[in-house]
Amino acid sequence: MNDPDPTVPTPGPAPGRQDPAANPTNAAAPAAPSDSHGELRPLDERMRELGQLLVLRLLSTTRVGRAYQVGNQTFRAQLDLLLGAIGPMLNEFGETVLVALETDLYLNGVRIPMTRASLRHHQAALKEFRRRKIAGLKIEKGVTRDELEKFFALFLQPEVYNSTGLLEAALAGGCDHVQPAIYASTEAPGDDEMVFTPGEIQESGPWNSSSGYRSSSTFSGGGTSDPGADPGGSDRTGNAPRGAAPKSFTQAIAGTRSLLTTTALQNGMEMRHAKRVVQPLVDGAFAAEPVVMGLATLGHHDEYTYMHAVNVCMVAVTMGHALGLDRRALADLGAAALLHDVGKNAVHDRITHPIGEWSEAERAAAESHVIEGAKLLARSTTLNATTLRCIRVALEHHVAAGYPDLGGAKPSVLSRLVACADCYTSLQTHRSERGRSVTPFEALGMMLGPLASSFEPALLWALVQSVGFYPPGQIVKLDDGAIALVLAPNPADLARPHVRVALDSTGQALPAQAPVEFRPLPAERSITAALAAAEYPETDESRRAA
Amino acid sequence: MTNLSQSSERFISLRELSPYAQHTAVWLRSLARALKMFRLYRSENPVVIATREQIASKLAELVNQHGAMDLRFTPSEIHLVDEPVIRPGVDSDENLRATELQLPFQVYRDGIRRIVILPEVPLAEIYVLFDALRVTGVGPETQDDLVTLLWQGNLTHIQSESVPLEQTIYLSVHRGSEGGGGHRGLSYAWSPVGSEIRADLGQQLGAQGLHRDTFDDWALCDSFVDVPTAYHSMEAGFDESRVRLMEEWRDESACDWAGQTPGIVQRLLELDPGDGMRTSLVQALVTWLAGALQRCDWEEAQRSLAMLRQVDPQSRWTCEAMTAALSGLGLQEIAQRLDEDDARDQARFSSLMVAIGQPAVGLTCSVMCLCTKVRPRAAASTAICYMCSDHPEWLAPFVADSRWQMVRNVVFVLGQIGGAAVVPLLEEVCAHSELRVRRALVQALGNVPCDVRLPMLLEQLHTRDPQLLAATLNMLTRERNPRVARAILARIQAPDFESRSEENKRALFNGLSEVADDHTVPALEQLLTEGGWFARRTVARVAAARTLRRIGTETAVAVLEAGLRSKSEAVRSACLDAMSSRMNS
């Protein structure tokens, strides 16, 4: 990802990648509160609805285009309807990408749901795309009716203009804001592949390629007792290149964002979606993936809600797995952890000072966020076993900190688990000045030291099993004097995690092209110290920042 | 999927499939039928248990004999690798097809594209699959989708391939390189660093997104301990604590969530007894109630309703929330289940609907309309009578329903309620195009005060439907009313009377004879004698003579006697016929 991304991701469920350097032509606008249309529902839900409408409009335009000449008043009326359907999306995201992946249609990365009523339209749209040998359409902000008319004049001649021929003709005809998407994939193609931008397309020569693109699907099953029996060939053994955070982390963030992106959540939340979000994380826990890496990768200063929610979720799920909870319980735990702090939304504007300087009113407001969270979840979800657990967690996860007063009742086990994960995660990402220098090791040291009495030993045990003695992201000094970054815990030996050496024993930085990694640290090697933030070696990045 | 479509075109009939595919097709059909049965009957039903075992054993036998069963799904088809085993048009049995054709869509809708069942699959795993299909096949919205339910089952021998709800899609003018890192699903494709993830979120440093989390809620400690040392010092207590925690968890998860709900609701109300909390709780409890109704779990529904009464005793928020929640239920499934339920459950349903009150009127009316068996329909109509007896206007939307069955049933219920209050609603269906509705209306008018029902009944006299006419006349002639006599006579004297069937004509004259008096004699005399010298024997003439005979007053008899002396053979004959029957009687 350090190289410019050669492909063009659609905005996705989140409003898209924002690295303009990587995608100069397609950097979608950041998500904005969609106040202009009074839309308060979650983003993905709106997208699904708009997707169904767009498919309908596209089909009716195509059908009318077959019966009437392009330019006819009736056809133009259809184009106006099509523009009306995509208008809100263009205003919000800057572009509308409707593509087919196998038998599914996606609008800006969100799968358009299929109902019995819409099945026919769905299949007709797929057929239209297949007929033209394209994956879909991409329409950008600024598109006009004339431009659409020009494009449809080509689009309605599938025998003459199809595949890249359609794209070339569209570009030649000046359709800058509406183009066919030739191929769509869920995997970023290699560097040798071309970018979907007009300028680069024109320079790129022949279009043909014989190879197929990868499956977009997730193969689940092959549970814990027989992981080798996976016919889909899924690779979940944890052999991550570059010792990196798994893709599931980013997916979870996108999912969480989608789940929480709403101004009030008052129009309902799909707990089914929350469970789908946490599934990769739970699978990661079962496959002993270093899921907590995402936590460390973010560094100390992450202050983003979605990150915090996902981090707490990952730590809690890993702890739950260490304790022996089954998948069903872990799914509930994950969903509850994702949503544990939703109540903060209701009180955030009443708190202006950091935690150490709170007034009485601010303290009361902060303490009420747990009740607000429970209230909000009760209002916006369907009450069932999972949501009841989520409500309890939202209400009870601060009992260890002294609120709310449950009248002697004990918080649920999941609440206590989330509380422990939340506390540990929060200590690492504290917003205070001192918090900026708290290392993962110090945060864990606080949990096992001053805060130990707030949590049961079993929870602390599970936490240490999940993150090791030296949590991911911690810089440590090895026995030979080398400085290394902890990549992932090693459940077999908590004192010897997976590490990447940053500075050798002479203090020389190792070249990034040839990293030295121990996966895990061998028995003959040991960690002699966990470095404090002030002792962290300078990196190129930090030097540049300074 | 294109390959699958091509394979559908290639195979013409079931007989051309491989033996394994044929067996699979047969098994899938039994599964589809069994799933319907699982939904309709309780899981403890012996027939359900036996069918489950039978279907599961058959599947196990198939995969053990033929190898892994690799099923691929499209919205309307199921393929065994590339052989279509379920698809529209293969079978001629429409009923069977209707059931089995729901299966591919149900699986596909939830995102599953492939299911592989491996040899040696344990029966327990097959049951998980059955349960997941049963749960997700009910109603428009269920708690979990198929993907989650199968995933939660931690299945080792049943594997499913699904598409995620959302994902980043890359567009390109080139196809991706085949096999390059070619693993399916979640993978370590690349490793984002913090800044990249932030970019993914579309946020700049300091921004908080739409969901605000702007303050810390855990205070930092002043000190920390050396982790390995502290861990080792605590090590002795870990095992005991872990055992205790897991025991607690087992107790907690064994406890029915519905049983825990009252305690939690109570606690929330203690912490915040304000209206905001009550509205939220009402919303939650209403969704619980709706879910229980969808699952036809009447006891659970009763429990949730009891909770609702506690939280919102004045029903300040319940009605609106409940109306919205109940409007989204899958009514067909509830009706089917009620058709198969025993009398006790039907009674429970009925009493539950009465307890819910107005918000349940729509649901009950729909059930009454959709059920095919008499008993649940009777239970539903009784419930509606109780619910709407003081507020028949609650039924107004259903009187205007586009389904005539619904209108007929509601009219029947209005008749059961009776009284003047139902008249405005009944008036709306006076001119309903469906005869069966108007017949129900005439019956319903029996419980309406005479003075208000009369105009509506008279309006029905124009009908030519013998059943409706007979019912109307029957209702009209319950009491002698000159207005009725005049109205019937007007129908008889109308120009179109001759075009009516004999049955119609006789019915009108019979009706007239029940209510006629001396005032109608002149008109009847005219009917009797019309035609003069050339009069022929007609149904009207004979009927007029008989009507006069039944009136039996001196005036009427005088007319008959005069008729006996008529020059017209037809008139004499009609009068003689009437008089002789009088003497006989």
Side-chain angles (χ1 to χ4, degrees), chain A residues 48 70 89 94 105 119 129 164 196 198 252-253 256 261 320 407 468 488 498:
Chain A
R48 288 184 188 103
V70 172
M89 274 179 279
L105 285 171
L119 174 60
F129 289 154
T164 48
F196 180 67
I253 289 168
T256 310
T261 304
H498 300 260

Side-chain angles (χ1 to χ4, degrees), chain A residues 306-507:
Chain A
Y306 315 120
M307 297 294 180
H308 177 69
V310 175
N311 285 334
V312 174
C313 176
M314 282 199 301
V315 175
V317 163
T318 318
M319 285 170 66
H321 179 251
L323 285 166
L325 301 188
D326 62 14
R327 270 175 189 243
R328 188 183 300 262
L330 289 178
D332 284 358
L333 173 65
L338 277 184
L339 301 170
H340 74 284
D341 261 347
V342 287
K344 283 188 172 179
N345 199 42
V347 298
H348 75 94
D349 53 351
R350 286 186 265 159
I351 298 160
T352 48
H353 296 98
I355 185 167
E357 302 161 22
W358 277 347
S359 64
E360 275 310 305
E362 283 177 320
R363 181 173 302 281
E367 291 186 358
S368 71
H369 89 266
V370 292
I371 297 172
E372 292 299 331
K375 197 191 289 183
L376 195 143
L377 287 177
R379 191 171 61 229
S380 54
T381 59
T382 302
L383 189 62
N384 54 42
T386 302
T387 43
L388 192 74
R389 283 176 172 169
C390 291
I391 289 171
R392 285 195 76 174
V393 168
L395 179 71
E396 299 170 345
H397 75 276
H398 269 291
V399 172
Y403 64 93
D405 178 11
L406 298 182
K410 206 171 181 185
S412 70
V413 171
L414 298 192
S415 304
R416 284 178 269 158
L417 247 164
V418 171
C420 188
D422 181 33
C423 183
Y424 170 67
T425 311
S426 300
L427 294 177
Q428 278 197 64
T429 57
H430 218 265
R431 292 172 175 84
S432 65
E433 190 55 40
R434 217 189 113 232
R436 290 176 179 274
S437 60
V438 171
T439 64
F441 182 80
E442 288 169 359
L444 190 58
M446 290 176 200
M447 295 294 291
L448 293 176
L451 293 170
S453 58
S454 303
F455 305 102
E456 288 150 281
L459 295 175
L460 297 173
W461 172 85
L463 178 62
V464 175
Q465 296 302 311
S466 304
V467 299
F469 290 158
Y470 305 97
Q474 176 65 41
I475 302 284
V476 291
K477 190 170 188 180
L478 302 183
D479 51 356
D480 64 350
I483 304 294
L485 167 72
V486 178
L487 297 173
N490 171 19
D493 185 349
L494 298 170
R496 289 186 176 76
H498 300 260
V499 296
R500 179 188 296 166
V501 178
L503 302 177
D504 65 15
S505 54
T506 61

Side-chain angles (χ1 to χ4, degrees), chain B residues 5-27:
Chain B
S5 313
Q6 286 165 355
S7 71
S8 304
E9 289 158 18
R10 184 158 49 85
F11 289 100
I12 305 299
S13 73
L14 209 61
R15 279 173 299 183
E16 291 183 39
L17 301 178
S18 68
Y20 190 17
Q22 288 185 29
H23 286 306
T24 306
V26 172
W27 180 79

Side-chain angles (χ1 to χ4, degrees), chain A residues 49-83:
Chain A
E49 205 171 277
L50 286 169
Q52 288 179 319
L53 177 67
L54 179 58
V55 169
L56 205 63
R57 291 277 175 253
L58 181 67
L59 286 176
S60 54
T61 307
T62 313
R63 199 168 49 244
V64 170
R66 285 196 199 107
Y68 296 88
Q69 288 285 328
V70 172
N72 181 293
Q73 221 170 5
T74 313
F75 184 75
R76 283 184 173 167
Q78 283 301 323
L79 288 182
D80 288 339
L81 287 173
L82 179 64
L83 272 174

Side-chain angles (χ1 to χ4, degrees), chain B residues 245-417:
Chain B
L245 187 76
M246 290 318 288
E247 270 173 12
E248 253 185 90
W249 168 246
R250 269 189 293 277
D251 292 344
E252 204 175 293
S253 47
C255 184
D256 174 28
W257 73 270
Q260 296 175 10
T261 306
I264 292 163
V265 167
Q266 193 57 42
R267 191 177 304 155
L268 286 168
L269 281 175
E270 282 165 12
L271 289 166
D272 179 4
D275 281 358
M277 178 59 86
R278 285 184 190 275
T279 353
S280 297
L281 289 175
V282 163
Q283 196 65 44
L285 292 169
V286 158
T287 58
W288 178 21
L289 174 66
L293 289 174
Q294 185 67 79
R295 293 190 303 277
C296 300
D297 190 335
W298 314 125
E299 276 180 37
E300 193 177 304
Q302 284 282 13
R303 286 162 76 182
S304 58
L305 189 62
M307 285 297 308
L308 262 173
R309 297 279 179 263
Q310 277 182 32
V311 174
D312 183 19
Q314 312 291 327
S315 285
R316 286 167 64 193
W317 307 284
T318 304
C319 196
E320 192 185 338
M322 196 127 57
T323 307
L326 300 192
S327 65
L329 294 179
L331 302 169
Q332 191 69 51
E333 288 90 353
I334 296 176
Q336 282 179 352
R337 179 68 182 266
L338 272 170
D339 268 339
E340 303 304 325
D341 266 346
D342 57 25
R344 199 177 50 177
D345 280 332
Q346 287 160 354
R348 276 187 189 145
F349 166 77
S350 178
S351 62
L352 180 66
M353 293 299 105
V354 174
I356 293 173
Q358 187 186 3
V361 171
L363 170 64
T364 324
C365 285
S366 301
V367 163
M368 183 171 62
C369 179
L370 295 170
C371 279
T372 54
K373 300 210 172 141
V374 175
R375 217 166 43 194
R377 286 159 59 86
S381 70
T382 311
I384 302 171
C385 287
Y386 275 109
M387 291 148 81
C388 301
S389 57
D390 293 333
H391 300 279
E393 69 276 9
W394 290 350
L395 291 169
F398 310 102
V399 169
D401 200 280
S402 58
R403 294 163 294 177
W404 69 264
Q405 299 95 326
M406 171 70 90
V407 183
R408 181 192 59 183
N409 293 340
V410 171
V411 167
F412 172 79
V413 170
L414 287 170
Q416 297 295 304
I417 294 170

Side-chain angles (χ1 to χ4, degrees), chain B residues 6 39 81 227 517 524:
Chain B
Q6 286 165 355
R39 282 179 209 124
V81 188
V227 173
D517 54 18
L524 287 169

